[in-house]
Amino acid sequence: MVISCLLLAPALVAQQPVAPVAPAPAPRIARIAITPATLTLNVNDTASLVATAYDSGGNRLVVPLTFISFSRRAVGVDSMGHVTAYRAGNQPVRLVALNLDAGFAMRAEANVTVSWPPLSRIEIAGAPVRMFAGTTVRASTRVIDAAGGERSDIPVTWASDNPAVATVDQFGNVTAQRAGVAGVRASVGGGGVTGRQRVVVVANPARALVLTASADHGRTGDVLHFTAVARDASRRPIAAFPVTYSVTAEAFEDTVIAPEAPAQVAPDGRFVAQRAGQYTVVATAGNLVARKTVAITSRYTSIRLNSGLGEGRVSRLHTSDLWVWTGKDGHDYAVTGTWGSDGSVFFWDVSDPAQPALIDSIQVDARVVNDVKVDVARELCIVTREGASNRRNGFVVLDCHDPHHVQMLTKYDEGLTGGVHNTFVWDKYVFATNNGTRFDIISLEDPLHPRRLSFFELDTPGHGIHDIWVVDGIAYTSNWADGVVLIDVGNGKWGGSPSHPVKIGQYASPGIAAHSAFPYHSPTGKFYVFVGDERFPYDLDADGPDEAAGYVHVVDFTDLAHPQEVARYEVPEAGSHDFWIEHDTLYVAYYNAGLRVVDVSGELMGNLYQQGRELVRFEPRDAQGKVPNAPMTWGPQPFKGLVYVADHNSGLWSVKLPERQPPPLP
Amino acid sequence: MRTLRLGLAALALAACHHRQPAPELPVRPEQPPPSGVQVPPPTPPVVVAPSPVPATTYRLLATAESADQVALIAFKPCQPAEVPPACGVRVERTYDVGWWPIEIEGPHGVVASPDGKSFYVSIAHGRPTGFLEKYDLATGKRIGRVQLGMFPATVDISPNGSFVYVINFNFDDPEMQPSSVSVVEADSMTEVARTETCRMPHGSRLNPEGTLHYSGCMMNDLLVEVDARTMAVRRLFKLVPGAEGPVSPAAAPAGVSSVCSPTWAQPSADGSRVYVACNKSGEIVAVDVASWRLVKRWKTPAAPYNLAVTPNGKQLVATQKGPGTITIWRLSDDSLMAQIRGTRTVASGVAVSRDSRYAFVTLEGVGGDPGTVDIIDLQTLQKVASVEIGKQAGGIWVLP
């Protein structure tokens, strides 16, 4: 059909005039002048530049000149020198006129400044209309310009028009002094634009402040809830009475000299300590103060394992991911991928975890098999491909019912040529990251004939995706700077299905580099999603020891619409990779820091690493590894009481963890 | 009437709009041409004694796409009394390129500045868009990086080194959206223009004056000419066999078409012609630049992939990806001079020395194979040397 259509079309297309091609002789340009040399525009303004070339005698040359902009999304310029201002900025944009034959060295420049729109208004938030005398609250501002944009770079000046009633400091802290009415204002440019908030100060009825805690004792890492209630003369609680919490520390454990901040208390009264000791939380409400002291004991001292239980050494190639499962024959098996090599995939019998035995290998057309997953029910293995020789990557479906003799069933690469970096198998579906931009949902109902059902893609500028994990029909995708995204892909509660994925939540924070995610419903009732960064600030030497960076963020998704990052697990001088959580335990492959096993029981807050929640660490070292004695753990999987770890530089490990019991409370 | 004809043409083309699968660059064995088409055997070369082996050391850069490396290779042809290691080919140095060390990011195209002090390499994969990187040749230090579009691939540089032209191949887009050519100011490494061209552009080459840029559209069956001065599309040429001809940019076919599926556009040494590798239809097409008309199209023994011409204007060298072979054509009569089997399969990039004596060809290999650079003497029509580099050898450039 294509050929017949295209045979028809040319006959109908009118003959186009032939454009002459006239290569220009090399001009003897001595200089190029541009007018005007500076411009100041507002957004959406246009202007024209005129550029002229001259020879050494000052004679004007008729030569073609090209205009270019060095920030074309802020200021555009076309071939005729027509300028359009798109975006305001604090720095001028450089425009250049040159002759291509003469080269960049012979050029003229103009600088275009695009002015910010005038400010329109200032909105004040946080300062209540009604305040109790003697109390302080923090106000903030939003400065809005005429185009509706928020200007976060504009400092504001605070003032009160009745300081006897209410004062305000340079930071926006409003303190109610005595009953009356005052106006608090924030202004810019000597009062050119001002925001105002009327404050009515009423008499302070509070006569007592009562501070209670959810417990008098705890361990490092335990979250205690402090609650301060202001009461009037009749001992009735006063609603919405502002309270400020702070903490002082006493009686540290003797071994700690000059510690970092040993504890923290949040504005809502949540408290957590990193160090054992006695801590006094102080609540302040107006001129009332209340104190309560709690005792905190140490949680754990991490145990360092010097050896694993067993190793399946891979010394010829770098190892990537793993998956462990029990076959229908009752034996335990593992599959591992390879990285930067020849597309090998290895199969192991780990029925005796002390002696993982290599039982089969298969080679797919790829240079990276980044991810391996197993559909245990149907004994299908899914392995991803990148660097295929025909550039058609996608994934491969293997028959793994007999891991001693794995057979290739089919490959699926339609629309997945860009490389599948990670997949997840849930129900009869494969969720495959596609070209680093989106994920595709492919039905494996008929394993011999995979079929794409749908895909999901963010629409933020420059969006990307790295990983996907599906639990109970909800996909948790790791999207680098866009953070973690939750999508209903079959749970149905939010109307999603494999054919119709529905986004249900997202969390991102400045600087996050979301690489992997794992959901966890804590017995406390909290719903956490752990999100790991991946960073390499020091580059990577494939043949030598390396140091990564980045940490695991703990995001409270209990309220899906308002996720909050509440904690982190950050090992210094190392970087997080893949992890797994079950039974209140976090298993993290922390690259050059090895396997880390962390107690994540209870409510979480602060830096779990500093709180002594780490139970065990194991750094796999093999003198005969691909890179000798250089731990670079890729991914963990707890399985039948053990932990299996894929290490990039040495292969597959099984680890037996020592029994740990939490120390008793005092 | 003209409007009616154009409208009918548009309708005809619109009726053809249907999604075709992404092009496959298969690893397939040599196949005979379709029945009825005769590929003439190589014409016997005129017996002329080859000129003496140059007493020159050639240096070139080659990318290893699955190793995130660029190799600096030195080739000193052996004089009659010489044997390696006094002569021959070796890897002088390997540069690690790319920006994300734990991922294979795919360096694809490579060029060097005219002063030989730096080189530029396209990095296909990012988060998700790729990059152009600039390295100091002497120190190996990265001195610039700019983010471009999806899958920056083939690269060329203006004769004075001021601008680098990078095709955003966008090969892996399931929707096959139209892509572009990026223009980067070489000193500041700033993208100063991104001109939308077509679906899956590939083969980025400037004419000798640096005033016109050419690329092929693998999924539009077009040859695109961009005016380097205005950085706008100047002319289009449809490459479908039997339907060749100029197409107005305003009337460019919007739908997917891959009958020819051009993978390279190579201007001749004097800029008067553009040679296009029609990968899918297994042909080379020659277009006259002045008249913008088809000059000739001829069958190749297997699907051509990349092209290069000798600076003396006498020969055209084509890689044939699947079988890993290289064909050499005499441009005086567009006849086949030789077909040479490469050291391994998947012949990829080709570059010719400035003295027109040698062709340097990259061969990707498969799986864990190393990449290979073969060196062919264009006078004796023999492969004279080979050297292994990192996996999936691709882009190649001869240093000044």
Side-chain angles (χ1 to χ4, degrees), chain A residues 1-2 5-6 12 18 20 66 70 72 100 103-104 339-340 367 391-392 417-418 421 462-463 480 534 540, chain B residues 5 13 15-16 18 20 24 65 100-103 127-128 160 162 172 188 191 228-229 234 290 364-365 367 391:
Chain A
M1 177 170 176
V2 170
C5 286
L6 289 173
L12 300 173
V18 173
T66 296
F70 275 75
R72 58 196 175 87
L100 284 186
F104 190 71
W339 182 93
R367 274 88 173 192
R391 298 184 189 280
R392 298 189 65 86
T417 59
H421 198 63
H463 60 269
W480 298 118
E534 183 184 62
L540 176 82
Chain B
R5 290 212 305 261
L13 291 166
C16 308
H18 63 277
Q20 293 198 7
E24 180 157 324
E65 196 166 332
W100 195 245
I102 203 66
E103 311 270 348
R127 282 184 192 172
N160 52 27
S162 292
D172 302 310
S188 66
E191 185 187 27
R229 297 185 184 115
R234 190 164 179 266
E364 294 184 10
K391 287 190 273 285

Side-chain angles (χ1 to χ4, degrees), chain B residues 52-58 74-80 82-83 86-89 355 357-358 360 375 377 384-385:
Chain B
V53 172
T56 304
T57 298
Y58 302 86
F75 168 59
K76 182 176 182 294
C78 291
Q79 298 297 324
E82 279 187 321
V83 294
C87 58
V89 62
D355 60 7
R357 182 63 187 255
Y358 294 101
F360 304 92
I375 301 169
D377 186 325
V384 296

Side-chain angles (χ1 to χ4, degrees), chain A residues 458-472:
Chain A
L458 296 177
D459 60 3
T460 46
H463 60 269
I465 184 172
H466 181 268
D467 199 1
I468 183 165
W469 196 268
V470 183
V471 178
D472 294 334

